[in-house]
Amino acid sequence: MIKKYEVLSNVQKSGIVAVVRGSSADDAYKTSVACIKGGVKAIEVAFTAPHADKTIEKLSEEYADDDSVIIGAGTVLEPESARLALMAGAEFVVSPSFNQEVAKMCNLYGVSYIAGCFSPREAQLAMEYGVEVVKIFPAGLTGVKTISEFKGPFPQMEIMPSGGVSLDNLADWFKDGAFVVGVGGQLVGPAKTGDYAQVTENAKKFHDAFAKLNA
């Protein structure tokens, strides 16, 4: 299997992508490790965190022998950041919006680009540029029926809702057809006060909730 599809398969198996921002490189690293310890092993290190590429590189090296851990880059707005992320070892790239040049960069290096979209036109354009998974963002504004609505005209579209996903509505998103979900504050929020143990506990809850859906 082509590497990028192996990565997407592992992301789907994880079910939850932890959106890690972090106030510093150390904070982003500790938050990511806390998520992994709790069973959420698909990590999206946002480029809003200082030196995000260094965090991605450190995590990629540390978990190089664990195929269940997938380290990606988030909030990638332009091709320069995409290249930094890819050179650091990011296995997937996520953006809050669609950028054609980022899509080209990811295609060139054989890495999946999960592009944020909010309209059918944006989603169609993203797919035309080779995007395998469309990120509906912010999903909290659209509601849990968004996926089935998009899949009406685009039945082939794989969708990751992000923004507004919680333990309370997790099952609803997957019932509506989510490929995977992105979770930020509901999962990693306690890291803002340095409570990484609670991040791990939150990760366990999300991991267990997803596992029950597939039991």
Side-chain angles (χ1 to χ4, degrees):
M1 184 184 293
I2 296 174
K3 173 71 172 178
K4 67 187 294 185
Y5 297 116
E6 290 181 0
V7 170
L8 279 179
S9 177
N10 285 336
V11 168
Q12 185 180 29
K13 289 175 184 176
S14 176
I16 315 293
V17 174
V19 182
V20 177
R21 297 200 177 277
S23 59
S24 66
D26 185 59
D27 179 38
Y29 170 76
K30 289 179 178 178
T31 303
S32 299
V33 171
C35 289
I36 294 168
K37 285 181 178 178
V40 174
K41 298 184 177 183
I43 307 296
E44 175 190 329
V45 180
F47 261 68
T48 50
H51 309 293
D53 59 318
K54 300 301 181 185
T55 302
I56 291 168
E57 184 175 24
K58 184 176 181 179
L59 290 166
S60 296
E61 291 176 352
E62 187 168 324
Y63 293 97
D65 295 329
D66 188 343
D67 292 338
S68 67
V69 176
I70 315 101
I71 307 300
T75 320
V76 175
L77 306 180
E78 20 64 36
E80 292 78 11
S81 294
R83 180 167 172 77
L84 278 175
L86 296 175
M87 294 303 100
E91 296 184 275
F92 63 96
V93 170
V94 186
S95 297
S97 58
F98 172 68
N99 182 284
Q100 296 178 12
E101 297 307 314
V102 171
K104 291 178 183 178
M105 180 69 70
C106 291
N107 284 336
L108 178 63
Y109 287 96
V111 172
S112 289
Y113 175 38
I114 301 175
C117 300
F118 199 69
S119 71
R121 177 59 192 137
E122 290 173 325
Q124 179 174 330
L125 183 62
M127 289 191 295
E128 288 172 0
Y129 272 81
V131 170
E132 294 95 359
V133 180
V134 169
K135 169 183 170 180
I136 298 299
F137 177 79
L141 296 181
T142 62
V144 295
K145 293 298 181 182
T146 303
I147 297 174
S148 55
E149 292 295 338
F150 265 93
K151 280 182 171 288
F154 304 113
Q156 75 278 22
M157 185 188 297
E158 298 293 356
I159 297 175
M160 179 179 85
S162 187
V165 177
S166 67
L167 284 169
D168 291 336
N169 61 28
L170 184 70
D172 293 330
W173 284 112
F174 282 104
K175 183 179 179 180
D176 203 44
F179 177 83
V180 66
V181 299
V183 186
Q186 294 286 324
L187 171 56
V188 303
K192 291 182 179 179
T193 59
D195 192 352
Y196 302 109
Q198 186 58 54
V199 173
T200 296
E201 287 303 311
N202 289 350
K204 288 178 180 177
K205 291 177 183 178
F206 273 98
H207 174 268
D208 291 348
F210 177 70
K212 287 180 181 178
L213 295 176
N214 294 274

